[in-house]
Amino acid sequence: GGGGGGGGYIGGLGDAMSQMGMGNPSEIPHELTQSPHVRHTTPISADTNIEVTVAHVWEGESLVLVLFFQNKTPGPLHGVSVAMDVSAPLQLLPGSPSDFLLSFTGHGDHAQQVLKFGASSVTTGLSVKGSFTYGNGKKGFMNVTLQAGDLIRPCVISTETFGGQWEGRQFAAGQRAQTFAGIKLTSADDLMQRLATTVHLHPIQVIGSEAILCGQVLGNAETKCMVHGTVGASKVELMVRSANAQFSQAVMAHCGVALGGS
């Protein structure tokens, strides 16, 4: 073997897969790392025999979840049956299975499954759930909590377009406003940077102490959400407008997380 600096593969499966050009099943596939992504190390399942973790990859037209499974039992584990539970407004895209089988040749072995999702809208409390069965009727459950930014992508519009649409009747009905106290930001640029990075909104313009941004649901430009923020002395005032209040509330909630506010 030798060569490559890929870090030690665990078990025979990793070696076999890497020789087949499939990469290491304990890492995000290389082609997905070209998009913004984050890998979480906290398990998404309480099961002690199979550890499950997840990476979020924010592709332009889809949300990609990479599920990582690791065998924590002393020996091989075959015939692990996984079933995903996906409900509207999320949908699995073609090529992403709702059910799949895993097999581990020994203790510590890894397996992974890449799942791509589309969405028609964004609401609060979204999650992707799943369960897996193995051994003699053992069952584990997993849950991936989603934030608005998992499904929001930058929507590039001009300041003039933003202004016109902000005043439009379609968006005024879905307004949410909230003041986040105890937030110390140096400038509206700082605010814009945080919201753009975390919630995946397009930064349009900073005007004095105000910032405006715009996003949409994945590849659908018909589903805009517009954000107006004002930076004050140790507080931030945010207004979100979209076609419906639930969508605006979900975006507001994630903006609050981005600001570190409650």
Side-chain angles (χ1 to χ4, degrees):
Y9 293 120
I10 299 174
L13 181 66
D15 281 338
M17 285 183 76
S18 78
Q19 280 156 16
M20 288 160 63
M22 290 173 72
N24 181 347
S26 67
E27 292 176 4
I28 299 172
H30 179 69
E31 68 274 10
L32 293 178
T33 60
Q34 312 308 305
S35 297
H37 59 276
V38 65
R39 178 155 184 185
H40 297 289
T41 53
T42 307
I44 57 168
S45 171
D47 193 86
T48 53
N49 293 310
I50 301 173
E51 185 178 275
V52 192
T53 55
V54 67
H56 296 230
V57 182
W58 300 295
E59 290 193 324
E61 302 285 323
S62 66
L63 165 66
V64 185
L65 296 180
V66 185
L67 298 175
F68 300 95
F69 302 86
Q70 189 180 20
N71 177 18
K72 295 293 191 179
T73 69
L77 193 56
H78 299 295
V80 179
S81 176
V82 185
M84 303 306 299
D85 176 15
V86 179
S87 52
L90 294 167
Q91 67 267 352
L92 278 167
L93 296 179
S96 292
S98 57
D99 304 88
F100 49 93
L101 284 169
L102 304 173
S103 193
F104 302 94
T105 53
H107 171 75
D109 263 358
H110 290 93
Q112 73 167 233
Q113 180 65 52
V114 174
L115 299 173
K116 295 196 178 196
F117 297 87
S120 54
S121 67
V122 177
T123 60
T124 51
L126 282 182
S127 67
V128 173
K129 295 177 172 65
S131 60
F132 47 95
T133 53
Y134 59 95
N136 294 325
K138 291 194 176 76
K139 190 164 189 177
F141 298 90
M142 52 191 173
N143 181 48
V144 182
T145 303
L146 301 182
Q147 307 257 31
D150 281 312
L151 302 169
I152 299 283
R153 298 295 177 268
C155 179
V156 181
I157 59 172
S158 67
T159 303
E160 292 70 31
T161 303
F162 181 97
Q165 296 202 341
W166 181 268
E167 298 302 332
R169 187 178 301 167
Q170 180 198 355
F171 290 102
Q175 174 167 309
R176 281 285 179 267
Q178 193 169 340
T179 298
F180 297 90
I183 308 289
K184 291 184 169 56
L185 293 179
T186 52
S187 65
D189 285 295
D190 191 7
L191 171 65
M192 191 156 78
Q193 180 68 36
R194 281 202 207 190
L195 298 185
T197 304
T198 307
V199 193
H200 303 141
L201 298 162
H202 172 66
I204 300 172
Q205 195 180 0
V206 164
I207 307 142
S209 63
E210 300 175 36
I212 56 173
L213 306 94
C214 188
Q216 63 187 45
V217 181
L218 298 176
N220 183 359
E222 297 301 302
T223 54
K224 284 190 187 69
C225 62
M226 297 181 288
V227 178
H228 177 281
T230 307
V231 177
S234 74
K235 69 173 184 179
V236 172
E237 291 170 31
L238 287 184
M239 281 190 287
V240 180
R241 286 189 177 184
S242 73
N244 75 73
Q246 260 205 314
F247 183 14
S248 298
Q249 185 56 44
V251 173
M252 181 70 83
H254 200 191
C255 287
V257 172
L259 294 174
S262 52

